[in-house]
Amino acid sequence: MTVLVTGGAGYIGSHMVLDLMKTGEEIVVLDDFSTGFPGLVPAGVRVVEGDIGNRKLLERLIPDYRIDAIAHFAAKIVVPESVEKPLFYYDNNTSRARTLIEAAVNGGVKHFIFSSTAAVYGNAETMPVTEETPPNPVSPYGRSKLMVEWMLEDARVAYGVEPMILRYFNVAGADPLCRSGQATPRATHLIKTAVEAAVGKRAGMSIFGTDYPTADGTCVRDYIHVSDLARAHVLALDYLRKGGKGQVLNCAYGHGSSVSEVIETVRKVSGVNFNVETAPRRAGDPAEIVATGEKIRSVLGWEPQYDDLETIVTHALAWERKLMDQSRQADARAALATV
Ligand code: UFG
Protein backbone atom coordinates (compact mmCIF):
# COMPACT_ATOMS: atom_id res chain seq x y z
CA MET A 1 0.00 0.00 0.00
CA THR A 2 1.39 3.34 -1.02
CA VAL A 3 0.19 6.87 -0.40
CA LEU A 4 0.36 9.34 -3.25
CA VAL A 5 1.02 12.81 -1.83
CA THR A 6 0.33 15.47 -4.44
CA GLY A 7 2.10 18.72 -3.59
CA GLY A 8 4.40 16.76 -1.26
CA ALA A 9 7.22 19.24 -1.96
CA GLY A 10 5.08 22.07 -0.68
CA TYR A 11 4.58 23.52 2.76
CA ILE A 12 1.83 21.32 4.21
CA GLY A 13 2.41 18.27 2.01
CA SER A 14 6.05 18.00 3.09
CA HIS A 15 4.97 17.99 6.75
CA MET A 16 2.59 15.10 6.08
CA VAL A 17 5.44 13.23 4.39
CA LEU A 18 7.60 13.75 7.51
CA ASP A 19 4.81 12.39 9.70
CA LEU A 20 4.07 9.42 7.41
CA MET A 21 7.76 8.47 7.46
CA LYS A 22 7.57 7.89 11.22
CA THR A 23 5.48 4.79 10.60
CA GLY A 24 7.50 3.56 7.62
CA GLU A 25 4.69 4.26 5.18
CA GLU A 26 5.39 3.81 1.45
CA ILE A 27 5.12 7.27 -0.12
CA VAL A 28 5.23 8.76 -3.61
CA VAL A 29 5.29 12.52 -3.98
CA LEU A 30 3.81 14.04 -7.13
CA ASP A 31 4.78 17.69 -7.53
CA ASP A 32 5.29 20.01 -10.47
CA PHE A 33 7.61 22.25 -8.39
CA SER A 34 5.70 25.36 -9.41
CA THR A 35 5.61 26.40 -5.76
CA GLY A 36 7.17 23.35 -4.09
CA PHE A 37 10.87 22.72 -3.53
CA PRO A 38 12.76 19.44 -4.03
CA GLY A 39 14.70 20.28 -0.85
CA LEU A 40 11.54 20.00 1.25
CA VAL A 41 11.06 16.33 0.37
CA PRO A 42 12.94 14.17 2.88
CA ALA A 43 15.79 12.06 1.50
CA GLY A 44 14.73 8.62 0.33
CA VAL A 45 11.16 9.53 -0.57
CA ARG A 46 10.25 8.79 -4.18
CA VAL A 47 9.38 11.89 -6.18
CA VAL A 48 7.63 12.10 -9.54
CA GLU A 49 7.82 15.50 -11.18
CA GLY A 50 4.54 16.14 -12.93
CA ASP A 51 1.13 17.68 -13.04
CA ILE A 52 -2.00 16.42 -11.26
CA GLY A 53 -3.87 17.21 -14.48
CA ASN A 54 -1.72 14.85 -16.55
CA ARG A 55 -4.10 11.96 -17.13
CA LYS A 56 -1.55 9.70 -18.85
CA LEU A 57 0.97 10.14 -16.05
CA LEU A 58 -1.65 9.32 -13.40
CA GLU A 59 -2.89 6.25 -15.28
CA ARG A 60 0.64 4.88 -15.16
CA LEU A 61 1.61 6.04 -11.71
CA ILE A 62 -1.36 4.63 -9.75
CA PRO A 63 -0.89 0.97 -10.74
CA ASP A 64 2.91 1.16 -10.96
CA TYR A 65 3.24 2.29 -7.35
CA ARG A 66 0.18 0.31 -6.11
CA ILE A 67 -1.40 3.51 -4.78
CA ASP A 68 -4.23 2.82 -2.30
CA ALA A 69 -4.68 6.36 -0.98
CA ILE A 70 -4.25 9.88 -2.26
CA ALA A 71 -3.57 12.93 -0.11
CA HIS A 72 -4.19 15.83 -2.44
CA PHE A 73 -2.37 19.03 -1.42
CA ALA A 74 -1.26 20.41 -4.79
CA ALA A 75 -3.08 23.72 -5.30
CA LYS A 76 -2.77 27.46 -5.55
CA ILE A 77 -3.61 28.99 -2.19
CA VAL A 78 -3.37 32.79 -2.21
CA VAL A 79 -6.78 34.41 -1.69
CA PRO A 80 -6.00 37.86 -3.22
CA GLU A 81 -4.28 36.23 -6.21
CA SER A 82 -7.45 34.19 -6.79
CA VAL A 83 -9.45 37.42 -6.95
CA GLU A 84 -7.12 38.71 -9.67
CA LYS A 85 -6.82 35.43 -11.59
CA PRO A 86 -9.97 33.41 -10.96
CA LEU A 87 -9.74 31.27 -14.09
CA PHE A 88 -6.18 30.28 -13.20
CA TYR A 89 -7.52 29.07 -9.85
CA TYR A 90 -10.45 27.19 -11.38
CA ASP A 91 -8.02 25.50 -13.76
CA ASN A 92 -5.42 24.56 -11.16
CA ASN A 93 -7.57 23.80 -8.16
CA THR A 94 -10.79 22.57 -9.75
CA SER A 95 -10.30 21.23 -13.31
CA ARG A 96 -7.05 19.44 -12.53
CA ALA A 97 -8.48 18.00 -9.32
CA ARG A 98 -11.31 16.55 -11.43
CA THR A 99 -8.72 14.73 -13.55
CA LEU A 100 -7.04 13.42 -10.39
CA ILE A 101 -10.35 12.20 -8.95
CA GLU A 102 -11.18 10.48 -12.24
CA ALA A 103 -7.78 8.77 -12.24
CA ALA A 104 -8.41 7.64 -8.64
CA VAL A 105 -11.78 6.19 -9.65
CA ASN A 106 -10.37 4.44 -12.73
CA GLY A 107 -7.37 3.18 -10.77
CA GLY A 108 -9.48 1.77 -7.94
CA VAL A 109 -8.10 4.15 -5.28
CA LYS A 110 -10.71 4.27 -2.54
CA HIS A 111 -9.18 6.65 0.02
CA PHE A 112 -8.90 10.30 -0.88
CA ILE A 113 -7.84 13.03 1.56
CA PHE A 114 -8.57 16.48 0.25
CA SER A 115 -7.02 19.78 1.38
CA SER A 116 -10.00 22.05 1.60
CA THR A 117 -10.19 25.36 3.35
CA ALA A 118 -11.99 27.56 5.83
CA ALA A 119 -12.40 29.93 2.90
CA VAL A 120 -15.44 27.84 1.85
CA TYR A 121 -17.38 29.47 4.74
CA GLY A 122 -16.81 33.06 3.60
CA ASN A 123 -18.46 35.58 5.91
CA ALA A 124 -20.37 33.07 8.02
CA GLU A 125 -23.30 34.57 9.94
CA THR A 126 -22.54 32.75 13.18
CA MET A 127 -19.15 32.25 14.73
CA PRO A 128 -17.53 29.85 15.52
CA VAL A 129 -18.40 27.77 12.48
CA THR A 130 -19.08 24.05 12.56
CA GLU A 131 -19.13 21.57 9.68
CA GLU A 132 -22.89 22.22 9.50
CA THR A 133 -22.42 25.93 8.76
CA PRO A 134 -23.57 26.47 5.16
CA PRO A 135 -20.64 27.16 2.82
CA ASN A 136 -20.71 30.60 1.26
CA PRO A 137 -17.25 31.36 -0.16
CA VAL A 138 -16.44 34.98 -0.96
CA SER A 139 -13.30 34.37 -3.02
CA PRO A 140 -12.56 32.37 -6.18
CA TYR A 141 -10.08 30.42 -4.06
CA GLY A 142 -12.83 29.27 -1.69
CA ARG A 143 -15.14 28.45 -4.59
CA SER A 144 -12.41 26.54 -6.44
CA LYS A 145 -12.05 24.26 -3.40
CA LEU A 146 -15.76 23.92 -2.64
CA MET A 147 -16.40 22.61 -6.14
CA VAL A 148 -13.87 19.85 -5.50
CA GLU A 149 -15.65 18.94 -2.28
CA TRP A 150 -18.87 18.55 -4.28
CA MET A 151 -17.14 16.44 -6.93
CA LEU A 152 -15.79 14.15 -4.23
CA GLU A 153 -19.19 13.81 -2.59
CA ASP A 154 -20.72 12.89 -5.94
CA ALA A 155 -17.85 10.49 -6.65
CA ARG A 156 -18.55 8.75 -3.35
CA VAL A 157 -22.16 8.12 -4.29
CA ALA A 158 -21.42 7.10 -7.87
CA TYR A 159 -18.12 5.20 -7.54
CA GLY A 160 -17.55 4.41 -3.87
CA VAL A 161 -14.51 6.65 -3.36
CA GLU A 162 -14.24 7.49 0.35
CA PRO A 163 -13.20 11.15 0.65
CA MET A 164 -12.00 12.84 3.83
CA ILE A 165 -12.44 16.56 3.32
CA LEU A 166 -10.21 18.54 5.66
CA ARG A 167 -11.06 22.23 5.84
CA TYR A 168 -7.93 23.98 7.02
CA PHE A 169 -8.10 27.10 9.05
CA ASN A 170 -4.98 29.32 9.01
CA VAL A 171 -1.95 27.08 8.83
CA ALA A 172 1.31 28.45 10.19
CA GLY A 173 4.52 27.50 11.97
CA ALA A 174 7.12 24.98 10.89
CA ASP A 175 8.43 21.54 11.76
CA PRO A 176 9.70 21.77 15.38
CA LEU A 177 12.96 20.10 14.22
CA CYS A 178 13.26 22.71 11.45
CA ARG A 179 13.29 20.12 8.64
CA SER A 180 10.53 21.89 6.70
CA GLY A 181 8.58 25.11 6.73
CA GLN A 182 7.08 27.70 4.45
CA ALA A 183 9.59 28.59 1.76
CA THR A 184 7.37 30.47 -0.70
CA PRO A 185 9.01 33.58 -2.12
CA ARG A 186 6.88 36.76 -1.97
CA ALA A 187 4.72 35.11 0.70
CA THR A 188 1.48 36.86 1.59
CA HIS A 189 0.41 34.94 4.70
CA LEU A 190 0.38 36.91 7.92
CA ILE A 191 2.72 34.93 10.18
CA LYS A 192 5.20 34.28 7.37
CA THR A 193 5.19 37.97 6.46
CA ALA A 194 5.65 39.04 10.08
CA VAL A 195 8.58 36.67 10.74
CA GLU A 196 10.19 37.86 7.50
CA ALA A 197 9.92 41.41 8.84
CA ALA A 198 11.39 40.24 12.17
CA VAL A 199 14.49 38.70 10.53
CA GLY A 200 14.97 41.74 8.28
CA LYS A 201 13.97 40.07 5.03
CA ARG A 202 11.48 42.88 4.47
CA ALA A 203 11.53 46.44 5.70
CA GLY A 204 8.21 46.10 7.52
CA MET A 205 4.64 45.06 6.90
CA SER A 206 1.07 46.32 6.67
CA ILE A 207 -2.11 45.53 8.56
CA PHE A 208 -4.82 45.22 5.93
CA GLY A 209 -7.85 46.86 7.49
CA THR A 210 -8.36 48.17 11.02
CA ASP A 211 -12.08 48.89 10.71
CA TYR A 212 -13.49 45.34 10.83
CA PRO A 213 -16.31 44.53 13.29
CA THR A 214 -13.91 42.68 15.64
CA ALA A 215 -12.61 43.52 19.13
CA ASP A 216 -9.56 45.47 17.89
CA GLY A 217 -10.76 46.19 14.35
CA THR A 218 -8.36 43.73 12.66
CA CYS A 219 -9.31 40.35 11.14
CA VAL A 220 -9.50 37.28 13.35
CA ARG A 221 -8.31 33.81 12.29
CA ASP A 222 -7.91 30.39 13.91
CA TYR A 223 -4.16 29.74 13.46
CA ILE A 224 -3.15 26.08 13.52
CA HIS A 225 0.35 24.59 13.63
CA VAL A 226 1.35 22.81 10.43
CA SER A 227 2.64 19.73 12.30
CA ASP A 228 -0.71 19.32 14.10
CA LEU A 229 -2.39 19.59 10.70
CA ALA A 230 -0.06 16.95 9.23
CA ARG A 231 -0.98 14.64 12.13
CA ALA A 232 -4.67 15.09 11.31
CA HIS A 233 -3.96 13.78 7.79
CA VAL A 234 -2.12 10.71 9.05
CA LEU A 235 -4.99 9.96 11.45
CA ALA A 236 -7.49 10.48 8.62
CA LEU A 237 -5.61 8.00 6.45
CA ASP A 238 -5.63 5.40 9.19
CA TYR A 239 -9.32 6.04 9.82
CA LEU A 240 -10.25 5.55 6.15
CA ARG A 241 -8.13 2.42 5.82
CA LYS A 242 -9.92 0.91 8.82
CA GLY A 243 -13.22 1.41 7.03
CA GLY A 244 -14.14 4.80 8.52
CA LYS A 245 -16.57 6.97 6.62
CA GLY A 246 -15.25 9.97 4.73
CA GLN A 247 -16.64 13.28 5.94
CA VAL A 248 -16.00 16.99 6.26
CA LEU A 249 -13.76 17.95 9.19
CA ASN A 250 -12.68 21.43 10.19
CA CYS A 251 -8.99 21.56 11.12
CA ALA A 252 -8.87 24.25 13.76
CA TYR A 253 -8.08 24.77 17.42
CA GLY A 254 -11.34 26.52 18.25
CA HIS A 255 -10.07 29.98 19.13
CA GLY A 256 -8.91 32.96 17.14
CA SER A 257 -6.25 35.67 17.17
CA SER A 258 -6.43 39.07 15.55
CA VAL A 259 -3.87 40.44 13.08
CA SER A 260 -2.67 42.89 15.75
CA GLU A 261 -2.28 40.10 18.32
CA VAL A 262 -0.25 38.03 15.88
CA ILE A 263 2.06 40.94 15.10
CA GLU A 264 2.57 41.68 18.78
CA THR A 265 3.40 38.01 19.41
CA VAL A 266 5.98 38.01 16.60
CA ARG A 267 7.52 41.21 18.00
CA LYS A 268 7.66 39.67 21.49
CA VAL A 269 9.06 36.27 20.45
CA SER A 270 11.65 37.79 18.09
CA GLY A 271 12.53 40.77 20.28
CA VAL A 272 12.39 42.93 17.13
CA ASN A 273 10.10 45.95 16.95
CA PHE A 274 9.74 45.86 13.15
CA ASN A 275 7.83 48.52 11.28
CA VAL A 276 4.05 48.05 10.89
CA GLU A 277 1.77 50.34 8.88
CA THR A 278 -1.98 50.32 8.49
CA ALA A 279 -3.37 49.84 5.01
CA PRO A 280 -6.85 49.52 3.45
CA ARG A 281 -8.75 46.23 3.59
CA ARG A 282 -7.55 43.49 1.25
CA ALA A 283 -10.02 42.12 -1.32
CA GLY A 284 -11.73 38.85 -0.39
CA ASP A 285 -10.92 38.93 3.36
CA PRO A 286 -13.72 37.90 5.72
CA ALA A 287 -13.64 39.70 9.11
CA GLU A 288 -13.46 36.56 11.22
CA ILE A 289 -13.13 32.80 10.72
CA VAL A 290 -12.91 30.58 13.78
CA ALA A 291 -14.21 27.01 14.14
CA THR A 292 -15.31 24.97 17.12
CA GLY A 293 -12.74 22.31 16.21
CA GLU A 294 -14.70 19.64 18.11
CA LYS A 295 -15.69 17.15 15.41
CA ILE A 296 -12.15 16.35 14.26
CA ARG A 297 -11.15 15.55 17.84
CA SER A 298 -14.02 13.15 18.34
CA VAL A 299 -13.90 11.49 14.90
CA LEU A 300 -10.13 11.10 14.55
CA GLY A 301 -9.04 11.33 18.19
CA TRP A 302 -6.85 14.27 17.15
CA GLU A 303 -4.93 15.83 20.06
CA PRO A 304 -3.07 18.97 18.97
CA GLN A 305 0.42 19.34 20.45
CA TYR A 306 1.21 22.93 19.51
CA ASP A 307 -1.99 24.84 20.28
CA ASP A 308 -0.26 28.03 21.34
CA LEU A 309 0.40 31.15 19.24
CA GLU A 310 3.85 31.73 20.77
CA THR A 311 4.91 28.17 19.92
CA ILE A 312 3.67 28.56 16.34
CA VAL A 313 5.56 31.84 15.99
CA THR A 314 8.72 30.40 17.64
CA HIS A 315 8.83 27.56 15.09
CA ALA A 316 8.04 29.89 12.15
CA LEU A 317 10.82 32.22 13.28
CA ALA A 318 13.37 29.40 13.65
CA TRP A 319 12.59 28.25 10.13
CA GLU A 320 12.85 31.80 8.75
CA ARG A 321 16.26 32.23 10.41
CA LYS A 322 17.38 28.94 8.84
CA LEU A 323 16.29 30.20 5.40
CA MET A 324 18.19 33.47 6.02
CA ASP A 325 21.36 31.54 6.99
CA GLN A 326 21.05 29.35 3.90
CA SER A 327 20.67 32.36 1.64
CA ARG A 328 23.64 34.15 3.28
CA GLN A 329 25.79 31.03 2.78
CA ALA A 330 24.69 30.80 -0.87
CA ASP A 331 25.58 34.50 -1.36
CA ALA A 332 28.98 33.95 0.28
CA ARG A 333 29.69 30.98 -2.00
CA ALA A 334 28.66 33.01 -5.06
CA ALA A 335 30.93 35.90 -3.96
CA LEU A 336 33.88 33.50 -3.47
CA ALA A 337 33.28 31.98 -6.91
CA THR A 338 33.63 35.40 -8.56
CA VAL A 339 36.95 36.22 -6.77
N1 UFG B 1 -2.73 40.22 6.72
C1 UFG B 1 -2.23 41.48 7.01
N2 UFG B 1 -0.99 41.79 6.55
C2 UFG B 1 -0.23 40.92 5.83
C3 UFG B 1 -0.76 39.63 5.55
C4 UFG B 1 -2.03 39.32 6.01
O1 UFG B 1 -2.88 42.30 7.66
O2 UFG B 1 0.89 41.27 5.43
C5 UFG B 1 -4.07 39.87 7.23
C6 UFG B 1 -5.06 39.54 6.13
O3 UFG B 1 -5.62 40.70 5.59
C7 UFG B 1 -6.02 38.64 6.88
C8 UFG B 1 -5.15 37.94 7.91
O4 UFG B 1 -3.95 38.70 7.99
O5 UFG B 1 -6.93 39.44 7.56
C9 UFG B 1 -4.79 36.54 7.50
O6 UFG B 1 -4.32 36.58 6.17
P1 UFG B 1 -3.51 35.39 5.49
O7 UFG B 1 -3.13 35.85 4.13
O8 UFG B 1 -2.44 34.94 6.40
O9 UFG B 1 -4.57 34.24 5.43
P2 UFG B 1 -6.05 34.20 4.83
O10 UFG B 1 -6.98 34.23 6.01
O11 UFG B 1 -6.27 35.20 3.78
O12 UFG B 1 -6.08 32.83 4.07
C10 UFG B 1 -5.55 31.69 4.66
C11 UFG B 1 -5.13 30.72 3.58
C12 UFG B 1 -6.29 30.14 2.91
C13 UFG B 1 -7.33 29.67 3.89
C14 UFG B 1 -7.66 30.72 4.88
C15 UFG B 1 -8.62 30.20 5.89
O13 UFG B 1 -4.31 31.36 2.63
O14 UFG B 1 -5.85 29.06 2.16
O15 UFG B 1 -6.49 31.13 5.51
O16 UFG B 1 -8.95 31.17 6.81
F1 UFG B 1 -8.44 29.35 3.26
Side-chain angles (χ1 to χ4, degrees):
M1 292 197 299
T2 304
V3 188
L4 175 65
V5 182
T6 76
Y11 174 44
I12 305 171
S14 64
H15 284 82
M16 184 191 186
V17 170
L18 284 171
D19 202 327
L20 284 170
M21 286 177 76
K22 290 197 271 190
T23 48
E25 188 78 51
E26 293 290 326
I27 306 162
V28 179
V29 164
L30 173 64
D31 204 297
D32 67 0
F33 299 115
S34 57
T35 52
F37 298 90
L40 291 187
V41 183
V45 173
R46 293 169 295 185
V47 179
V48 175
E49 183 171 353
D51 188 329
I52 56 155
N54 183 339
R55 187 185 311 268
K56 288 222 152 23
L57 171 68
L58 294 169
E59 278 170 2
R60 217 177 43 238
L61 199 145
I62 289 172
D64 281 2
Y65 287 99
R66 299 159 56 91
I67 305 293
D68 79 302
I70 296 177
H72 174 39
F73 295 92
K76 302 296 168 199
I77 59 156
V78 180
V79 174
E81 183 186 48
S82 81
V83 177
E84 281 164 29
K85 302 181 192 168
L87 296 181
F88 175 64
Y89 272 68
Y90 292 129
D91 175 26
N92 257 283
N93 293 0
T94 316
S95 305
R96 289 169 204 232
R98 198 209 72 88
T99 304
L100 180 68
I101 296 166
E102 188 174 50
V105 168
N106 293 340
V109 179
K110 292 285 178 217
H111 314 309
F112 199 105
I113 303 174
F114 175 55
S115 303
S116 189
T117 169
V120 301
Y121 294 112
N123 279 306
E125 278 170 18
T126 50
M127 213 47 72
V129 298
T130 72
E131 290 76 1
E132 307 307 317
T133 302
N136 184 21
V138 294
S139 66
Y141 170 67
R143 291 186 198 110
S144 74
K145 289 281 187 171
L146 184 58
M147 283 192 268
V148 180
E149 291 192 9
W150 289 339
M151 282 194 271
L152 284 168
E153 274 156 22
D154 292 340
R156 180 222 306 271
V157 175
Y159 315 113
V161 173
E162 205 57 51
M164 189 64 86
I165 292 166
L166 299 180
R167 290 182 178 159
Y168 308 164
F169 283 62
N170 285 58
V171 189
D175 172 46
L177 301 178
C178 233
R179 294 166 297 179
S180 187
Q182 209 172 351
T184 338
R186 296 176 301 281
T188 60
H189 289 124
L190 178 65
I191 291 182
K192 173 78 177 169
T193 305
V195 295
E196 283 184 354
V199 301
K201 213 182 242 183
R202 54 173 84 217
M205 62 175 298
S206 300
I207 298 181
F208 299 131
T210 52
D211 58 349
Y212 283 98
T214 58
D216 65 16
T218 65
C219 290
V220 172
R221 299 285 184 273
D222 194 328
Y223 293 93
I224 160 176
H225 193 292
V226 64
S227 298
D228 278 337
L229 181 62
R231 187 96 282 265
H233 288 74
V234 175
L235 293 172
L237 177 66
D238 189 47
Y239 180 85
L240 291 178
R241 279 183 174 157
K242 287 183 173 145
K245 191 171 154 23
Q247 49 201 292
V248 174
L249 297 176
N250 287 332
C251 300
Y253 289 149
H255 52 86
S257 306
S258 73
V259 174
S260 295
E261 284 166 348
V262 168
I263 291 173
E264 280 320 306
T265 306
V266 177
R267 280 177 161 165
K268 180 179 159 204
V269 170
S270 65
V272 182
N273 196 22
F274 51 87
N275 185 44
V276 178
E277 291 174 352
T278 55
R281 290 182 179 198
R282 195 176 67 174
D285 274 345
E288 180 175 6
I289 318 181
V290 177
T292 59
E294 281 160 11
K295 187 177 171 194
I296 186 168
R297 292 173 194 250
S298 67
V299 172
L300 299 182
W302 182 62
E303 299 277 355
Q305 282 185 57
Y306 308 105
D307 177 1
D308 173 59
L309 188 58
E310 281 198 25
T311 304
I312 293 175
V313 167
T314 301
H315 293 163
L317 196 60
W319 172 254
E320 207 54 52
R321 289 188 173 130
K322 182 175 172 177
L323 290 180
M324 274 293 265
D325 287 348
Q326 284 173 345
S327 105
R328 280 200 197 104
Q329 284 162 12
D331 289 350
R333 278 196 300 275
L336 272 177
T338 56
V339 173

